[in-house]
């Protein structure tokens, strides 16, 4: 089964983001980890990244139309994009929100997720392993 993994803005630049928060993996290394976590759970991961809210919304529409389960790290859009929230709500297959860091342990503006209310659950704070944990949660849900 295909899982659509959507990564939001700035995640492609993990190599130059604060490694004390986001860890040492580059984005291509993160993609490799996600793909192998998916295959060890019997899934095929279609991993995408965009800095563009409209593109992320179109991918959520694609997931809704094709009944793809979704793992999404909306990055900064987590905290304010009602448009991504409304698109995520259209996905009737399981949808899991992930974060590399633990937003609740960071600045106050990161304490709000407008996505969590339409996700099956949220996993954050485990670095790249957040995605592997999300695969395992997805497996249990499906
Ligand atoms: C993030 C947390 C967000 O607050 C931040 O804007 C990101 C990444 C994470 O994976 O920890 O870009 O979603």
């Amino acid at each position: 089964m295909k899982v659509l993994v959507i990564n939001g803005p700035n995640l492609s630049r993990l190599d130059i983001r604060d490694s004390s928060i986001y860890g040492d993996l580059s984005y291509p290394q993160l993609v490799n980890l996600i793909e192998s976590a998916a295959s060890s759970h019997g899934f095929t991961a279609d991993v995408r990244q965009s800095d563009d809210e409209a593109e992320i919304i179109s991918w959520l529409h694609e997931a809704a139309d094709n009944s793809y389960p979704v793992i999404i790290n909306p990055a900064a859009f987590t905290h304010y994009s009602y448009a991504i929230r409304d698109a995520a709500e259209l996905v009737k297959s399981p949808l899991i929100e992930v974060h590399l860091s633990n937003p609740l342990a960071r600045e106050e503006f990161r304490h709000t997720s407008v996505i969590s209310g339409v996700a099956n659950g949220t996993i954050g704070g485990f670095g790249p392993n957040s995605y592997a944990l999300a695969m395992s949660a997805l497996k249990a849900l499906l």
Side-chain angles (χ1 to χ4, degrees), residues 2 10 15 17 21 23 34-35 43 48 50 66 69 98 100 107 115 125:
K2 168 165 154 164
N10 301 307
D15 52 335
R17 292 188 83 177
I21 295 172
I34 294 168
E35 287 171 346
F43 299 129
R48 305 181 191 177
S50 181
N66 294 283
V98 300
L100 293 162
E107 304 96 316
I115 310 299

Side-chain angles (χ1 to χ4, degrees), residues 7-11 14 17 21-22 72-79 97-103 106-107 109-112 123-125 127 130-131:
N7 288 308
N10 301 307
L11 289 167
L14 285 178
R17 292 188 83 177
I21 295 172
Y22 294 114
I72 184 167
N73 183 345
F77 286 140
T78 304
H79 312 301
E97 176 187 351
V98 300
H99 299 283
L100 293 162
S101 66
N102 176 2
R106 300 180 61 194
E107 304 96 316
F109 75 89
R110 298 185 202 275
H111 297 184
T112 297
I123 299 169
S130 293
Y131 291 83

Side-chain angles (χ1 to χ4, degrees), residues 76-130:
F77 286 140
T78 304
H79 312 301
Y80 66 92
S81 176
Y82 299 123
I84 289 179
R85 178 202 164 96
D86 285 351
E89 195 172 18
L90 301 175
V91 177
K92 299 306 173 203
S93 305
L95 181 144
I96 298 176
E97 176 187 351
V98 300
H99 299 283
L100 293 162
S101 66
N102 176 2
L104 295 175
R106 300 180 61 194
E107 304 96 316
E108 199 160 342
F109 75 89
R110 298 185 202 275
H111 297 184
T112 297
S113 168
V114 300
I115 310 299
S116 295
V118 294
N120 289 72
T122 301
I123 299 169
F126 300 98
N129 201 32
S130 293

Side-chain angles (χ1 to χ4, degrees), residues 12-64:
S12 60
R13 303 314 310 274
L14 285 178
D15 52 335
I16 57 167
R17 292 188 83 177
D18 187 340
S19 60
S20 68
I21 295 172
Y22 294 114
D24 292 327
L25 289 195
S26 65
Y27 184 70
Q29 289 171 323
L30 177 66
V31 172
N32 283 340
L33 183 145
I34 294 168
E35 287 171 346
S36 50
S39 71
S40 71
H41 288 88
F43 299 129
T44 303
D46 178 351
V47 188
R48 305 181 191 177
Q49 189 277 329
S50 181
D51 299 326
D52 179 349
E53 189 176 25
E55 189 167 37
I56 292 171
I57 290 166
S58 75
W59 291 342
L60 288 166
H61 291 173
E62 184 186 333

